[in-house]
Amino acid sequence: METILSKRIQSLTQSEIRIMSIECEKRNGINLSQGICDLPLPPVLAEEAKSAIDHGENHYTRYDGINELRSAVADKLFQYNRMTVDPDSEVIITSGSTGAFYCACLALLNPGDEVIIFEPFYGYHEYTLLALDLVPVYAKLSPPSWSFSPEEVESLITEKTKGIMINTPANPSGKVFSHQELDQLADICVSHNLLIFTDEIYEYIVYDGLSHISPGSLPAIRDRVITISGYSKTFSITGWRIGYCACREGLARPIGCASDLVYVCAPSPLQAGASKAISTLQDDFYKALCDKYEKKRNLICDAMKEASLLPYVPQGAYYVLAEAGQIPGDTSKEKAMHILEKTGLALVPGSAFYHGSGGENLMRLCFAKEDQVLEEACERLQALKPKTYINT
Ligand SMILES: Cc1ncc(COP(=O)(O)O)c(C=O)c1O
């Protein structure tokens, strides 16, 4: 029988990350393409989740999450993000931050609406919009500092524009939006009556003494921001699917209905584990996490510089984008395959983060790996040193 695909699914291609992961597995290589953290999870999290299973917390929860987790998230939003939200009506626990963004778009936007996203972008942001018949409109982030032009952003706005997507710290660029930049975007959103979707999944991974600033903490835009985050990265639990969104009640209620429809609820015992960990772990846990990643960042960036993969040293998150102009290959896919063949390291071709023909000279590497794996990767990178090309 002929394969039947919806038009929406036809527009989604298999992600470069998955393709590189498969190629890497075939060669028994080191996978630096996927944003999976190798790090161990905090013991309190697993203990509480196991105990919740043993105590029968294995059923549907309230559609917006268990009381303890909504309260823990609201307290954390107050203390860390400087946002005041009502745990009973302004926090929705979701199936990861991915589920939060999908449900926010499903609940608040209509087919044909336009959303501005910054490029290079995180693929799921673009694909989520496309899957819902929404239209991504691309605003440029320019290296080396990944700055944007507020004038360019404003020039992209049409009568169909309904929102702007911010990702801070950003994947893949590592950009941490400054207060001034957020104020500029806030002014634009107020004057054009736009929503702001903000994905802050890497909020605790910020380097060089910089601070994470949540757009939702800016009073001028509090009512138009949908803050999205979760614990996949902070607690190294990407498979648990614990995320949330926080916004004013009028937006939170429909997002909760959408989340109920698509996911029913986030996994019950894992919600219990997460709420215990959020309320138990102190500042030293988050500081140690950040310090650990900063050391890994420095290690890998130094090795990349020596290996002709010139890194744009990230301000946050755990990816590095690098200029790969000196690596053989006409496209970033060819360059990624060359790197895999030469070193056994899987990276993501830069084209995965751009629409059209952008990103062909870029490569992304994820450094959320155990130290010995990262050290091995640094050593293997040296096979890319220019002198190795002379006789090949
Ligand atoms: C920017 C960004 N948002 C969201 C996610 C996924 O988060 P979650 O596991 O909470 O769905 C990722 C994972 O790589 C990411 O890079």
Side-chain angles (χ1 to χ4, degrees):
M1 198 179 127
E2 173 193 347
T3 311
I4 301 168
L5 292 179
S6 73
K7 283 193 189 126
R8 287 189 195 90
I9 282 299
Q10 279 170 18
S11 69
L12 312 182
T13 53
Q14 197 184 19
S15 95
E16 290 299 337
I17 299 174
R18 201 161 308 133
I19 294 168
M20 287 311 293
S21 299
I22 293 167
E23 291 301 322
C24 180
E25 214 174 298
K26 279 189 210 157
R27 291 163 177 79
N28 215 1
I30 299 179
N31 192 350
L32 303 178
S33 65
Q34 247 174 340
I36 296 177
C37 8
D38 274 355
L39 307 188
L41 62 164
V44 59
L45 191 65
E47 281 156 21
E48 188 66 18
K50 284 183 219 162
S51 151
I53 291 172
D54 291 342
H55 287 91
E57 291 179 43
N58 301 307
H59 307 288
Y60 300 138
T61 67
R62 214 173 99 160
Y63 75 99
D64 53 357
I66 61 173
N67 291 345
E68 294 82 353
L69 183 51
R70 277 183 285 99
S71 293
V73 167
D75 287 349
K76 166 263 175 202
L77 283 168
F78 182 70
Q79 281 162 26
Y80 184 66
N81 306 83
R82 297 169 193 249
M83 291 167 54
T84 306
V85 299
D86 175 4
D88 218 34
S89 59
E90 296 183 321
V91 176
I92 309 286
I93 304 303
T94 54
S95 175
S97 62
T98 305
F101 184 48
Y102 183 82
C103 292
C105 291
L106 182 63
L108 305 178
L109 302 174
N110 286 306
D113 285 350
E114 295 176 3
V115 177
I116 295 175
I117 63 175
F118 288 98
E119 183 176 62
F121 51 75
Y122 168 57
Y124 272 68
H125 291 158
E126 187 197 41
Y127 278 170
T128 297
L129 297 174
L130 293 174
L132 289 167
D133 288 335
L134 301 165
V135 182
V137 176
Y138 307 89
K140 227 186 308 117
L141 292 176
S142 304
S145 65
W146 304 106
S147 57
F148 65 89
S149 148
E151 293 74 29
E152 193 218 358
V153 173
E154 201 151 21
S155 75
L156 297 172
I157 295 171
T158 70
E159 75 276 8
K160 290 189 178 157
T161 311
K162 292 289 163 8
I164 295 185
M165 175 84 206
I166 298 172
N167 178 207
T168 183
N171 173 10
S173 65
K175 177 182 178 64
V176 173
F177 282 72
S178 69
H179 214 299
Q180 191 195 5
E181 289 174 320
L182 293 176
D183 279 342
Q184 287 167 337
L185 292 174
D187 286 347
I188 293 173
C189 290
V190 170
S191 51
H192 295 274
N193 193 23
L194 304 181
L195 292 169
I196 299 153
F197 301 91
T198 156
D199 176 342
E200 302 174 29
I201 191 83
Y202 299 102
E203 60 191 327
Y204 288 108
I205 308 175
V206 178
Y207 309 123
D208 304 324
L210 290 171
S211 298
H212 168 69
I213 301 162
S214 288
S217 68
L218 307 182
I221 50 172
R222 188 215 183 264
D223 282 354
R224 54 181 77 245
V225 174
I226 297 103
T227 302
I228 291 167
S229 193
Y231 283 89
S232 285
K233 313 291 177 171
T234 306
F235 291 161
S236 306
I237 48 167
T238 49
W240 280 33
R241 316 311 304 131
I242 299 289
Y244 63 84
C245 83
C247 48
R248 72 177 154 87
E249 184 177 358
L251 304 177
R253 211 176 313 109
I255 296 172
C257 288
S259 184
D260 185 9
L261 172 69
V262 183
Y263 302 105
V264 183
C265 65
S268 335
L270 308 187
Q271 288 192 49
S275 84
K276 178 78 171 188
I278 298 167
S279 35
T280 310
L281 295 169
Q282 301 293 315
D283 289 353
D284 57 343
F285 169 82
Y286 300 97
K287 177 158 187 339
L289 177 85
C290 197
D291 288 350
K292 213 181 302 180
Y293 281 125
E294 188 157 344
K295 282 201 192 95
K296 291 179 195 292
R297 175 198 69 164
N298 295 343
L299 188 75
I300 198 77
C301 285
D302 287 348
M304 289 169 86
K305 279 178 205 155
E306 284 178 32
S308 343
L309 261 180
L310 304 174
Y312 292 113
V313 179
Q315 298 175 314
Y318 48 52
Y319 307 92
V320 193
L321 270 184
E323 280 295 338
Q326 293 179 51
I327 305 290
D330 289 337
T331 63
S332 61
K333 284 180 198 163
E334 286 179 16
K335 289 171 190 288
M337 284 312 294
H338 175 88
I339 295 172
L340 183 60
E341 298 295 350
K342 277 265 172 195
T343 65
L345 300 175
L347 277 64
V348 187
S351 57
F353 310 107
Y354 287 80
H355 77 294
S357 57
E360 293 297 359
N361 260 340
L362 293 173
M363 211 57 65
R364 190 197 77 176
L365 177 154
C366 169
F367 57 84
K369 298 284 156 196
E370 292 280 16
D371 282 343
Q372 74 268 28
V373 177
L374 206 60
E375 279 157 20
E376 168 74 21
C378 288
E379 231 161 79
R380 288 183 181 209
L381 273 175
Q382 303 319 307
L384 295 175
K385 278 185 179 171
K387 63 177 170 18
T388 60
Y389 302 136
I390 291 168
N391 298 321
T392 57

